[in-house]
Amino acid sequence: MDYLRAFIVGGTICLIGQILMDKTNLTPARILVSFVTAGVILGAIGIYEPIVEYGKAGATVPLPGFGYSLAKGTIKEVEKYGLIGAFTGGIKATSAGIAAAIFFGYLMAIIFNPKAKS
Amino acid sequence: MEHTNEERLKKEFQDMVKKSAPSSNFLKDCLAAFVVGGFICVIGQFVMNFFIGLGIPKEDVGYYVATIMVFLGAFLTGLGVYDNIGKFAGAGSIVPITGFSNSIVAPAMEFKREGFVFGVGAKMFVIAGPVLVYGISSSVIVGIIYYIINLFK
Amino acid sequence: MGEKRVGEQTIAFKNPPSIISTAAIAGPKEGEGPLRDYYDVILQDDLFGEESWEKAESKMQKEAVRLALEKLKIDEKDIDYIFAGDLLNQLMASSLAARDYKIPFFGLYGACSTLTESMSLASMAVDGGYADYVIASTSSHFCSAERQFRFPLEHGNQRPPTSQWTVTGAGAAVISSKGNGPYITYVTTGRVVDFGIKDANNMGAAMAPAAADTILRHFKDTGRTNKDYDLIITGDLGKVGMELTLDILKKQGFDMSTNYSDCGVKVFDLTQQDVHSGGSGCGCSAIVFCGYLYKQIMEGNLNKILLISTGALLSPTSTMQGESIPGIAHAVAIERGV
């Protein structure tokens, strides 16, 4: 059941991205930026939470989920530590993803060379 | 007179271009994005369930999922597979966190020939940098607003 | 007014220079295309034994020049000038190649119009009496262009159907006062034309108005029409740009549907090779002309052609600053006999 929900929720979020790409000429970079920002906003006003509860990985793996984690982490830290939490919370909550991307990015660059497309 | 005539010609041509441009295969693109995007999330779900099964606390399991998914995206990019998935799936492989990973690894690999500091180190963030800038900045704003609202409660 | 000028933008050569030799080097994907039998060399590998795409592109250009000279049995030191260009920042491929031959060098940037730009200037130098042997050479490389103008190669993005595929290839032509053709008889230098197209994924559309403008100007200046040529061929408009050009010319009263083509459409098999609208880049018209068309003229299958290389004069900076794409097209009339 988890899997079916993850498939449908995750697929739908990607489908929205595809519609934006085909119909509005938004470049992939702009899609990523808007999806993360949308995730932050939807997370902050409490709309993304129920989507995560329903879709689990289907909602956390796509980039709005990254934004949702940023918002959720920030709010949690503000509650705990006050204003400084606005600066510490977001990155703490997403630290694994960011550090992994930087580290593995570097590692792959050492190991592999780009290949020409055919 | 000459000027308005030229403007009219340009307008006419732009309409002509709009009409002539072959449209992408919209339904196929959407289906591919839905299926591949959904499938990547199913893998994420599998990773999540696996670590929950190992007894990792629920609030920490997200770290594991993010790390593994980022690794998968990075590795497939290194092997030269992710760009082919992307060609087929479009947003289906751009929007998941594996796509974020791809957007870091691809320039890192590409600019290796310009050195490891200003090539790999600096160019890594050409696509993903803005994502972090806007994501983190907006979350800081959210935190500040949340703090101010709490002051008045 | 200069005594050799006709009309507003055209030169009619008094002593038409000959194209005495050409050479074309094509990348692996181009080597699978319909014109594969006409290239001098087909690369097995996009890196061509070098460490980077840029250096590979430079080596292709150097090899094309070397091959073109080899066919003539004349020496590098007999060459008076080389006019060369490519798509890379500061003409990296041409400059690095030129470092190795000791020939006076003019570097040109005309985006993908560089082939006919360099041929035009080379012919002027020859007919003007300033040179006896001049080389015109250009190159482009899919991988080096992609990383400079678009995305890193391994980035998983989707290309829209109007997009084009930068040709990996280099071509060189030796233009001389001594020789028996094929002759360059007319040169029509294009103006920069911009009809407000901003989509960098639809360069065919951005360049089509410039191509049409130069073709019409050529007809007007010389009094010729499309019927005077066996083939009128544009550089890299692709399928989309080619159809737009045909439309514009038809509205001006020239029905060119029977003898008009585009190098970007010829160089790939559009149905099989996943290149969307067709080929592009300096190398596109370079390998199609220096490989295919030149041999067709030599064998007598074509007698009179009008070659119009087309360029989209955009830069990554101009695109990011929201500028539309300026187009340019230069026409060169090439004839078997005068």
Side-chain angles (χ1 to χ4, degrees):
Chain A
M1 197 55 197
D2 275 358
Y3 293 110
L4 186 63
R5 285 179 177 182
F7 184 76
I8 290 170
V9 172
T12 307
I13 294 172
C14 294
L15 176 65
I16 295 168
Q18 188 67 41
I19 294 171
L20 288 174
M21 258 168 63
D22 277 7
K23 294 291 172 194
T24 63
N25 273 336
L26 276 177
T27 57
R30 283 171 199 275
I31 302 258
L32 294 183
V33 168
S34 12
F35 270 43
V36 166
T37 315
V40 172
I41 295 167
L42 294 177
I45 58 179
I47 293 180
Y48 210 74
E49 185 76 37
I51 305 178
V52 171
E53 265 157 34
Y54 181 82
K56 297 216 175 95
T60 57
V61 169
L63 275 174
F66 187 73
Y68 157 79
S69 302
L70 281 167
K72 200 179 150 204
T74 309
I75 289 172
K76 215 167 98 190
E77 291 267 305
V78 170
E79 277 174 351
K80 233 173 160 179
Y81 304 107
L83 191 53
I84 196 67
F87 295 90
T88 58
I91 297 187
K92 257 190 205 173
T94 53
S95 52
I98 296 174
I102 292 174
F103 176 72
F104 292 130
Y106 196 85
L107 193 68
M108 297 305 159
I110 292 176
I111 303 173
F112 295 107
N113 286 318
K115 283 170 263 309
K117 294 186 183 190
S118 56
Chain B
M1 190 60 206
E2 169 86 2
H3 189 67
T4 51
N5 192 32
E6 198 171 299
E7 290 302 313
R8 190 179 50 81
L9 269 178
K10 281 187 186 176
K11 186 83 199 35
E12 253 178 48
F13 180 70
Q14 284 167 12
D15 291 342
M16 212 164 118
V17 169
K18 269 186 207 127
K19 256 179 257 159
S20 76
S23 55
S24 36
N25 197 339
F26 186 58
L27 283 180
K28 183 244 124 200
D29 283 359
C30 285
L31 188 68
F34 181 80
V35 172
V36 175
F39 182 68
I40 292 173
C41 294
V42 167
I43 298 172
Q45 189 64 50
F46 175 78
V47 175
M48 189 185 269
N49 290 355
F50 176 76
F51 283 104
I52 290 175
L54 289 183
I56 306 293
K58 219 180 153 209
E59 58 268 29
D60 291 347
V61 83
Y63 295 140
Y64 291 83
V65 177
T67 309
I68 301 281
M69 295 309 282
V70 162
F71 172 76
L72 286 178
F75 189 60
L76 290 177
T77 305
L79 290 180
V81 174
Y82 209 86
D83 59 320
N84 293 325
I85 301 176
K87 198 163 82 179
F88 171 72
S93 57
I94 288 173
V95 170
I97 196 162
T98 46
F100 175 71
S101 172
N102 169 250
S103 75
I104 286 187
V105 181
M109 284 165 67
E110 181 76 55
F111 287 92
K112 186 157 80 166
R113 286 160 189 144
E114 279 75 27
F116 279 91
V117 175
F118 286 108
V120 178
K123 297 284 188 182
M124 219 178 211
F125 296 102
V126 283
I127 308 167
V131 175
L132 295 177
V133 170
Y134 284 93
I136 292 170
S137 302
S138 53
S139 80
V140 170
I141 294 170
V142 163
I144 294 172
I145 295 174
Y146 187 74
Y147 176 75
I148 294 172
I149 292 175
N150 273 355
L151 285 183
F152 293 100
K153 268 190 182 162
Chain C
M1 193 173 160
E3 53 172 336
K4 294 171 187 171
R5 286 186 76 84
V6 292
E8 284 181 32
Q9 291 168 224
T10 304
I11 287 173
F13 292 113
K14 279 263 159 64
N15 301 299
S18 295
I19 305 169
I20 53 174
S21 167
T22 64
I25 298 190
K29 189 182 175 88
E30 291 68 23
E32 288 165 10
L35 306 181
R36 66 182 87 85
D37 298 333
Y38 296 95
Y39 306 130
D40 296 277
V41 176
I42 293 169
L43 306 191
Q44 298 299 311
D45 157 44
D46 284 272
L47 272 176
F48 202 9
E50 294 289 317
E51 290 162 5
S52 72
W53 316 122
E54 287 80 6
K55 290 179 193 173
E57 180 178 341
S58 188
K59 186 173 170 187
M60 283 195 304
Q61 209 180 116
K62 206 162 63 189
E63 277 299 297
V65 169
R66 193 185 62 76
L67 282 170
L69 288 180
E70 197 178 87
K71 293 178 192 176
L72 286 176
K73 300 188 180 71
I74 60 168
D75 199 57
E76 219 178 87
K77 65 177 190 298
D78 300 322
I79 304 295
D80 300 306
Y81 293 111
I82 179 161
F83 289 86
D86 57 84
L87 294 175
L88 302 179
N89 287 336
Q90 288 77 41
L91 302 182
M92 178 172 169
S94 308
S95 313
L96 291 193
R99 190 170 61 179
D100 291 349
Y101 21 78
K102 309 281 176 255
I103 306 170
F105 169 76
F106 284 112
L108 304 174
Y109 189 84
C112 318
S113 72
T114 311
L115 179 75
T116 48
E117 183 183 9
S118 58
M119 284 169 67
S120 300
L121 292 169
S123 314
M124 289 184 207
V126 169
D127 186 48
Y130 303 109
D132 280 325
Y133 295 99
V134 182
I135 295 175
S137 81
T138 44
S139 64
S140 60
H141 193 302
F142 175 78
C143 302
S144 64
E146 201 66 11
R147 76 199 290 248
Q148 180 175 309
F149 288 98
R150 296 183 191 91
F151 289 106
L153 291 174
E154 300 293 348
H155 187 253
N157 55 334
Q158 240 167 4
R159 308 161 62 82
T162 50
S163 68
Q164 290 173 253
W165 190 279
T166 307
V167 164
T168 299
V174 185
I175 292 163
S176 173
S177 54
K178 305 179 170 79
N180 304 309
Y183 301 96
I184 297 181
T185 49
Y186 290 98
V187 159
T188 303
T189 306
R191 302 178 298 179
V192 175
V193 178
D194 187 336
F195 271 29
I197 301 298
K198 288 189 171 178
D199 183 0
N201 277 313
N202 195 354
M203 299 217 283
M207 297 186 288
D213 188 70
T214 301
I215 294 172
L216 290 169
R217 183 58 63 185
H218 177 81
F219 290 165
K220 200 172 164 208
D221 287 350
T222 59
R224 290 182 171 185
T225 70
N226 52 316
K227 295 191 184 77
D228 289 303
Y229 289 101
D230 298 329
L231 178 67
I232 294 175
I233 186 161
T234 44
D236 61 345
L237 297 179
K239 195 162 163 285
V240 176
M242 181 179 159
E243 278 160 14
L244 287 167
T245 306
L246 271 177
D247 266 12
I248 300 173
L249 289 165
K250 198 162 189 185
K251 280 184 191 156
Q252 300 291 330
F254 297 98
D255 179 7
M256 309 215 304
S257 48
T258 51
N259 62 343
Y260 170 63
S261 187
D262 182 76
C263 299
V265 173
K266 286 254 178 211
V267 74
F268 291 120
D269 180 343
L270 299 195
T271 54
Q272 298 292 321
Q273 290 192 292
D274 192 33
V275 292
H276 298 262
S277 187
S280 68
C282 304
C284 184
S285 56
I287 61 173
V288 173
F289 174 74
C290 296
Y292 173 70
L293 293 172
Y294 184 74
K295 286 174 190 127
Q296 293 297 310
I297 297 168
M298 292 300 273
E299 284 163 17
N301 298 330
L302 290 170
N303 281 314
K304 247 176 165 182
I305 71 166
L306 187 65
L307 174 69
I308 310 109
S309 292
T310 41
L313 299 172
L314 80 172
S315 82
T317 311
S318 69
T319 307
M320 278 160 89
Q321 293 184 355
E323 272 296 329
S324 54
I325 303 169
I328 182 95
H330 301 301
V332 172
I334 301 156
E335 300 173 33
R336 204 158 162 246
V338 198

